[in-house]
Amino acid sequence: MKKLLVVLLLSFVLFVFAEVGVYPDKVVVGTFQALSGPYAVIGQEMSKGMLAYFNWINKNNGVYGRKIELIIADDQLNPTKTVVEVKRLVESDKVFAIVGGLGTYGCLAVMDYLEQNKVPFVYQGAGTSLLVVPPKRYIFGVQPDYTLEGQLIAKFFVENLKKKRIGIIYMANDVGKEGLAAVKMRLEKYGMKPALEIAYNPLETDYSTLAVDVLKVSPDAIVIYGFLTDTVRWIKTLRDYGVNADIVTTYANADPSFINLAGKYAEGVYLTGWVPLATPDRPEFLRDYQRAVAIFQESYPNQIMSSYAVAGFIAAEVFVEGLVRAGPDLTREKLVEALETFKNWNGILAKDITWGPGLRRGKSTMYFMKIEKGAFTAVTDLIGLD
C-alpha cells in the first residue's frame, strides 16, 4: 500500500510539472496553414512537407523515443482566423510549440501572443523582418526577410553586374515597401539613388502607362517586388514596351510555376534563392534533394515536391534538430537554448542556419539564379552582407 502511494505521488508530481505538450511517448506541436480558400494550394503543400518529414522521424523511433504529433489548423491565410486558431492550439490543444506558420500577416498577428505565453514559434512562412528584428526570445525565423534580400539584390546589381541606373518597382503594401527601403539602404552605401521608383496595386491588370514611365528613364537594371502573377504581368509588359534592363525578383517567385506563367518572357530573369539548387553541376545539393524527395514520397508516393513542400520540410527538419539538441528532458526553455546553438547548421535541405542569444534571423545568406533555356541556373554561391 505504501509503495502504491509513493508511485501515485510520483506520478502526480510528474504530471503537475511536466512540460506542456510533452509526453513520454510523444510531443504535440501545432501549425497554421491555408488548407482551404484561395491560397489552399500553398498551405496544403507546406503541410505535406512538414508531415512527410515528421512521418519519417516517427518511423525511425522519433526523438528520444517520442513521436511528433502535428495538429494543423486551417486559417485560410486570414489573420483574424489565425489568432483564433493559434489560441485554440495553445490553450485547448496544449501544443508544445508552433512550427511553420504560413503568411506574413497571420504570423505578425500571433507573434506577441506566443512571445508573451513563452511558446516557441519556429519558422515563419513570411518575409517581414518585423518577426526577427528586434529579436524576440521565442520567435525563430528561418527564411530570409525582405530587408536582407533587398540589400543583397542591390549588392548583386552593383558589385556583380556593375549596374549604374537601378529602378525599383514594388507593391504598395508592407512587403513592397520593406523591399524598397532595403534596396535604397544598400544603394546609399555606394553613393547611389534609385533611378526610378514605381509603386503599384497588385490587383491592377494593366501596367502599360507605368511601363511608359520606365521606358522614359531607361534603367539598366530593375528590381520587382511583387507576387507571382503581377510580377509576370510586369515582365511581359516591360519587354513588350522594349525595356531590356536586367530584372531581379524575389525568392517568393522562385518556383517552376513562374517559368510556366511567363513562358519566353522568363528567359534571362534573375531571382534570389536560399535553398540551393539541385542541379547536376552541384552534386552535393543534388544528393540532398534526392534524399528529401525519397523521404517525401514515403508519405506521398509519386508526387512532386513543390517549393512550398520544401519550405514545410525545412521547417520540420530545423525543429527536429532543435529537439535533438534540447535532450531527452524536453522543455520549452531547453528548446530555445538548443536553437541558440545553431551555427551555420546544414540539414538535408536547410543550409547555413545560425541563431544565438539576441539573433533570430536564421538566414543571413542568399544566392542568385538566372532562368536560362527555361530552367533555373545558379550564378552565384551563397553571399551575405559585408
Side-chain angles (χ1 to χ4, degrees), residues 38-56:
Y39 302 101
V41 64
I42 301 176
Q44 289 170 4
E45 287 296 303
M46 190 167 177
S47 298
K48 286 180 182 178
M50 295 177 67
L51 285 168
Y53 190 84
F54 287 151
N55 289 345
W56 178 66

Side-chain angles (χ1 to χ4, degrees), residues 16-230:
V16 171
F17 292 101
E19 183 61 277
V20 174
V22 179
Y23 304 88
D25 61 340
K26 67 179 180 179
V27 54
V28 181
V29 298
T31 188
F32 52 92
Q33 303 289 333
L35 299 181
S36 60
Y39 302 101
V41 64
I42 301 176
Q44 289 170 4
E45 287 296 303
M46 190 167 177
S47 298
K48 286 180 182 178
M50 295 177 67
L51 285 168
Y53 190 84
F54 287 151
N55 289 345
W56 178 66
I57 291 295
N58 292 343
K59 182 181 177 181
N60 290 279
N61 300 317
V63 181
Y64 302 112
R66 293 189 182 97
K67 303 294 178 66
I68 300 171
E69 180 181 314
L70 179 65
I71 301 175
I72 306 175
D74 180 12
D75 70 343
Q76 299 182 334
L77 214 68
N78 179 334
T80 302
K81 289 180 178 291
T82 308
V83 172
V84 173
E85 293 298 334
V86 167
K87 285 185 175 181
R88 179 180 62 78
L89 288 169
V90 172
E91 297 171 18
S92 298
D93 295 318
K94 305 294 184 183
V95 298
F96 171 72
I98 299 294
V99 183
L102 174 65
T104 294
Y105 296 111
C107 290
L108 288 174
V110 299
M111 174 182 69
D112 291 338
Y113 169 79
L114 293 172
E115 181 72 10
Q116 290 163 9
N117 285 275
K118 300 181 180 181
V119 181
F121 184 12
V122 182
Y123 191 109
Q124 298 82 48
T128 175
S129 63
L130 295 175
L131 290 161
V132 293
V133 182
K136 300 148 196 75
R137 179 167 175 78
Y138 299 93
I139 314 297
F140 290 83
V142 176
Q143 62 185 58
D145 58 69
Y146 298 124
T147 294
L148 171 70
E149 182 188 46
Q151 292 183 79
L152 289 175
I153 288 174
K155 178 180 180 179
F156 175 71
F157 269 151
V158 176
E159 296 186 16
N160 292 67
L161 300 186
K162 310 301 180 185
K163 300 300 183 180
K164 303 293 185 184
R165 296 175 54 75
I166 298 169
I168 307 171
I169 297 173
Y170 65 99
M171 298 180 291
N173 58 21
D174 293 345
V175 171
K177 291 174 183 176
E178 182 172 339
L180 168 72
V183 174
K184 292 174 70 174
M185 182 193 311
R186 186 68 186 190
L187 288 180
E188 286 179 6
K189 292 184 178 293
Y190 303 115
M192 299 170 63
K193 293 183 178 180
L196 174 77
E197 295 178 31
I198 292 181
Y200 73 94
N201 181 344
L203 297 178
E204 293 175 357
T205 57
D206 185 356
Y207 302 143
S208 55
T209 301
L210 295 174
V212 172
D213 294 335
V214 178
L215 196 59
K216 289 176 182 176
V217 174
S218 189
D220 59 5
I222 297 172
V223 187
I224 301 179
Y225 261 94
F227 295 133
L228 181 65
T229 54
D230 45 282

